[in-house]
Structure formats: C-alpha cells, structure tokens
Amino acid sequence: MSAHGSIRTLGLAVAQLGPVHLADTRQAVVARLVEMMRQAQALQAEFVVFPELALTTFFPRYWMSEEEAVGRFFEKTMPNPAVQPLFDEARRLEIGFCLGYAELTPQGRRFNTSILVDRNGEVIGKYRKIHLPGHAEHKPDAPFQHLEKKFFEVGDVGFRVSRLGQTRIGMCICNDRRWPETFRVLSLQSAELVVLGYNTPSHNIHWDEPAHLRMFTHLLCLQASAYQNALWIGAAAKCGREDGFHMIGGSVIVAPTGEIVAQATSEGDEVIAARIDLGLSDKFRQHVFNFAKHRRPEHYRLIVERTGAGDPLR
Ligand code: ING
C-alpha cells in the first residue's frame, strides 16, 4: 500500500533490436526476439515492447514495386510459422508483448502494423500506423528512399486503448510520436501506458541536420508527450547499421514526470526494464493534467478543422 492508495505496478521491458540486414531471415530475427523475451522475463518483466517492422530490414529505404515489397517483406497472416516461436515462448513465459510488422490483409491492403499480445499469446489489439513520413515517388538522387507513403496505407483503426490485465495500454508507431495529437487522443481514452517501436534513420535527406538532433528530438517528443499526457511510454528502436544505413538507438522507458527511467546505451540487441508504478499517472491526472477540469476544447477547434496552417483567425 502506498501513501496514495493501492500500488499498481507493471514489469515493463523494451527490447531494442540491432540491425536486420537484407540477408537476414525472419527465422533468425525471431530467434533474437525470443532470446530478448527470455532476458526480459529474467528481469521480471510481464510485458515487452518490440520495434516497428521488427521482422525485416527497414525496406522503405529501397525503391521497388509494391508487388516486390509484398512478396519479400509483408506478413500474409499473423501469427505465421516464422513468428510462431515468439508466440509459443510468450505463452510459456506468460509474458505479453507488442510487435511491429508489415501487414498484408486478406483484401490485399498494406499497413505498417503493430499488435498487442497478452500473456496467453492471444492478439488483443492491433494498430495501423497513421502518420506516414517520407514520400511515394522515386528520389534517385537521394542516398536512400523513405517510401512509407508508397508501401503503406494510412492506418484505418484509429488510436485505440486496450486493457492488458490492470493496465490501460495504447499503441502508436514511430513517426506518430512526433505528433502531439497521437498521445492526446490516447490519453483522452484514459491510457496510462503507450508502447511504440521506431526505425529512425540518422541522416536527414532534406537538409544537413546535425547528427545529435535526431536523438534530441526523439527523446524530446517522448518526454514531453509522457509529461503532458500523464503517460508511461516504452519505445523500442530497431537501430544500428542495416546494410550500411544507420538508424538511431535510444530505446527508453519514460515516466509521467517526463523523466527517463531506463535507456539503452548500445545500437544492438539490448533489453532495458523497469517496474513502473501506474499510480504515478493518477497523481498527474488528478491535478496538473486533470483534463476534465482544465481543458478548453472550445478554443482548440482549429486542431481538427485545419490540416495545414492557414491565416490567423479574425
Ligand atoms: N522514421 C522516422 C521517424 O519519424 C523521421 C522518420 C525521422 C521523420 C526524423 C522526421 C524526422 O522517426 C519512421 N519510420 O517514421
């Protein structure tokens, strides 16, 4: 019992995945995920966060047809034989997880997807990435492509919150973390933990951005969003050099105070973990971020009515 009523805690782990090269098989990647799930369990974790597009290399960096991408990098069913060992291990260890992958639906639609799996290995939630960065056309002069707008549709299930045991948990993916609306919509559904994976190239093809800013803005988004929405956040990178293309690490667990409670220090396979106190969110929601008491949506209408910036209101 804590001073603030009954303590609700969750053993949370974030499994950062090092490079996945074009030559790496899904079976080899899944073996790495299973090994990290075991490490997470050894750290008393009850839930582990895996990255975005965790089963393959970050293929949107390559120009190819949609048909070729589907054939090489999309999952036609989930689970499937290549991923089944991860579901089996989750059931054996009684540990839940979220996993990012490229989804081909039975109707032939393509999404950048993550699923929420409970400790019995049951899929209890699915999210399809809404904020798709990059471009759809070929940029032959660029050092690499970022073709998420070519290979994926905008997610069609919205931002949803599931109940995982006692925890209200929401999901988003990568670029979603840069848009404050993401976390506000989840926290307006009373999420107390948001989990996400990301693949974030170090190099900016649009201007000569100083390298340190990629890590700075990544952490800034997560720390600000955690604090402003009274959320715990677990964020898992796929990182390091994939066939020479570098992506940042910086996997973290962030508290509703905005403080980082655990952070990866490598750019390889690395499990970080913390026993998070979900009651910490309650205090912020009862006081400084008591939405019902302090928000004034009548003054926020532009956020929904406008997509791009326009003229000042009269
Ligand atoms: N990757 C990057 C991300 O949002 C990006 C793309 C990086 C956009 C930096 C803007 C600035 O972390 C994915 N996959 O969304």
Side-chain angles (χ1 to χ4, degrees), residues 184-195:
R184 186 49 51 94
V185 168
L186 288 169
S187 57
L188 281 168
Q189 298 175 74
S190 307
E192 47 199 344
L193 167 63
V194 173
V195 293

Side-chain angles (χ1 to χ4, degrees), residues 94-115:
E94 294 190 344
I95 193 167
F97 66 96
C98 75
L99 177 73
Y101 64 95
E103 175 192 14
L104 181 76
T105 73
Q107 299 74 26
R109 301 180 66 192
R110 291 174 269 110
F111 296 102
N112 185 340
T113 295
S114 69
I115 48 171

Side-chain angles (χ1 to χ4, degrees), residues 199-260:
N199 289 217
T200 300
S202 312
H203 182 67
N204 184 330
I205 62 171
H206 302 294
W207 78 91
D208 193 14
E209 182 184 29
H212 73 277
L213 286 182
R214 284 278 147 138
M215 186 57 72
F216 174 72
T217 55
H218 153 67
L219 296 175
L220 178 67
C221 291
L222 296 178
Q223 290 181 263
S225 300
Y227 171 64
Q228 291 172 333
N229 294 284
L231 290 169
W232 284 93
I233 296 179
K238 172 149 69 70
C239 56
R241 289 193 185 287
E242 293 193 329
D243 296 298
F245 295 94
H246 187 260
M247 298 192 293
I248 65 168
S251 301
V252 280
I253 297 173
V254 184
T257 58
E259 293 169 300
I260 294 170

Side-chain angles (χ1 to χ4, degrees), residues 52 58 112 129 131 133 146 148 173-178 198-201 204 209 214:
E52 171 191 30
F58 186 68
N112 185 340
K129 187 174 181 178
H131 296 98
H146 196 118
E148 293 195 59
I173 297 176
C174 203
N175 195 253
D176 288 323
R177 74 191 186 288
R178 299 180 191 278
Y198 61 95
N199 289 217
T200 300
N204 184 330
E209 182 184 29
R214 284 278 147 138

Side-chain angles (χ1 to χ4, degrees), residues 93-306:
L93 298 175
E94 294 190 344
I95 193 167
F97 66 96
C98 75
L99 177 73
Y101 64 95
E103 175 192 14
L104 181 76
T105 73
Q107 299 74 26
R109 301 180 66 192
R110 291 174 269 110
F111 296 102
N112 185 340
T113 295
S114 69
I115 48 171
L116 199 57
V117 183
D118 70 10
R119 54 193 347 165
N120 306 312
E122 298 301 320
V123 177
I124 60 167
K126 172 179 280 189
Y127 171 70
R128 291 168 169 163
K129 187 174 181 178
I130 286 170
H131 296 98
L132 297 171
H135 49 95
E137 73 288 355
H138 192 193
K139 291 178 178 288
D141 300 333
F144 52 86
Q145 310 298 303
H146 196 118
L147 294 162
E148 293 195 59
K149 289 187 190 303
K150 175 181 174 69
F151 295 133
F152 303 121
E153 285 183 52
V154 172
D156 61 350
V157 296
F159 297 110
R160 290 282 183 274
V161 176
S162 307
R163 184 171 288 282
L164 184 93
Q166 294 298 310
T167 309
R168 295 185 301 277
I169 183 169
M171 283 189 286
C172 66
I173 297 176
C174 203
N175 195 253
D176 288 323
R177 74 191 186 288
R178 299 180 191 278
W179 303 95
E181 295 87 345
T182 299
F183 295 97
R184 186 49 51 94
V185 168
L186 288 169
S187 57
L188 281 168
Q189 298 175 74
S190 307
E192 47 199 344
L193 167 63
V194 173
V195 293
L196 62 113
Y198 61 95
N199 289 217
T200 300
S202 312
H203 182 67
N204 184 330
I205 62 171
H206 302 294
W207 78 91
D208 193 14
E209 182 184 29
H212 73 277
L213 286 182
R214 284 278 147 138
M215 186 57 72
F216 174 72
T217 55
H218 153 67
L219 296 175
L220 178 67
C221 291
L222 296 178
Q223 290 181 263
S225 300
Y227 171 64
Q228 291 172 333
N229 294 284
L231 290 169
W232 284 93
I233 296 179
K238 172 149 69 70
C239 56
R241 289 193 185 287
E242 293 193 329
D243 296 298
F245 295 94
H246 187 260
M247 298 192 293
I248 65 168
S251 301
V252 280
I253 297 173
V254 184
T257 58
E259 293 169 300
I260 294 170
V261 299
Q263 181 165 345
T265 54
S266 75
E267 291 186 342
D269 293 12
E270 179 178 348
V271 177
I272 59 173
R275 176 148 293 278
I276 67 173
D277 170 8
L278 295 163
L280 204 51
S281 307
D282 297 344
K283 281 192 293 193
F284 285 90
R285 285 175 174 275
Q286 284 155 23
H287 304 292
V288 61
F289 292 111
N290 182 323
F291 287 170
K293 200 172 172 183
H294 299 310
R295 291 186 70 244
R296 306 298 333 161
E298 68 272 22
H299 293 295
Y300 309 156
R301 281 205 303 272
L302 278 190
I303 292 176
V304 175
E305 288 167 2
R306 283 191 188 177

